[in-house]
Amino acid sequence: MIDIVEAMKVYRRGRTEVRALAGVTLAVPKGQFLSVMGPSGSGKSTLLNLLGALDVPNSGSLKIDGRELSRMKDDELSAFRRERLGFVFQFFNLMPTLTALENVMLPGLLAGRAQAELRRRAEVLLETVGLGGRTHHRPDELSGGEMQRVAVARALLGEPAVLLADEPTGNLDSRTGTEVLRMLREATRERGLTVVMVTHDPKAAAVGDRIVRLADGRIVGDERLQEQAA
Ligand code: ADP
Ligand code: MG
């Protein structure tokens, strides 16, 4: 599903160069839940940004679904991002003035999809993430865990093939964090979703099928975890 070969990313700040990624090669099969760990500054977010086509590598190749991200034109890329990718961030990024339901529907509305069908799907997704009774709440009327579940429902609305999550439990207590992780876990089982999740929490990482460790922009560990009971 994901095929990265020798991806390199260098940031220049004046005269200083930072090798955020120093040649990363990584294949992630469809349906795998990959946890990416590593110290602060090791390149985790850079890797996710490249996968999300939010940034471009200096060299190397990144393919999702066999498609080379750097070969796509801007409009192809935004369609690809909309149709194939889902994003979940540490700070939820919900619109404060919209209800939970509207937040989940928003990407579909922006993509011009029919409102009635979007509403139906958004309601089902909110039900799935245990927020059936919160559809008309605004973010400030929800707990952190609930907000993150809204964000996960929103990410799943477009039925993505790949979900990219950067510290999705970073702002949650361990119990609500576990709930969010269980939802992501289920989505990989039920939808064949491929997940790449960055985390510095070993317990969160252990929910995945595999843990890749980064240090100084390189992969320094790649560990397959046992199949675990749901
Ligand atoms: P992590 O997510 O693992 O903490 P990042 O991928 O955010 O690490 O950053 C890797 C390295 O690249 C860090 O040294 C960081 O300071 C640097 N870096 C990241 N983004 C930029 C940027 N936009 N400009 C300059 N340097 C950056
Ligand atoms: Mg980061």
Side-chain angles (χ1 to χ4, degrees), residues 89-108:
F89 304 96
Q90 183 175 0
F91 299 103
F92 323 136
N93 294 3
L94 300 179
M95 300 289 285
T97 60
L98 300 182
T99 65
L101 185 70
E102 290 163 346
N103 265 289
V104 176
M105 291 170 65
L106 186 63

Side-chain angles (χ1 to χ4, degrees), residues 184-205:
L184 293 178
R185 183 71 265 183
E186 275 166 22
T188 63
R189 292 217 176 96
E190 289 165 11
R191 301 160 193 263
L193 182 71
T194 306
V195 173
V196 180
M197 175 181 75
V198 165
T199 181
H200 61 250
D201 175 4
K203 267 172 68 189

Side-chain angles (χ1 to χ4, degrees), residues 94-135:
L94 300 179
M95 300 289 285
T97 60
L98 300 182
T99 65
L101 185 70
E102 290 163 346
N103 265 289
V104 176
M105 291 170 65
L106 186 63
L109 290 173
L110 294 176
R113 288 169 56 189
Q115 197 161 340
E117 196 251 314
L118 277 178
R119 176 178 291 267
R120 254 194 317 277
R121 264 191 62 70
E123 281 168 350
V124 170
L125 281 167
L126 282 171
E127 195 71 49
T128 312
V129 301
L131 293 178
R134 297 280 189 282
T135 52

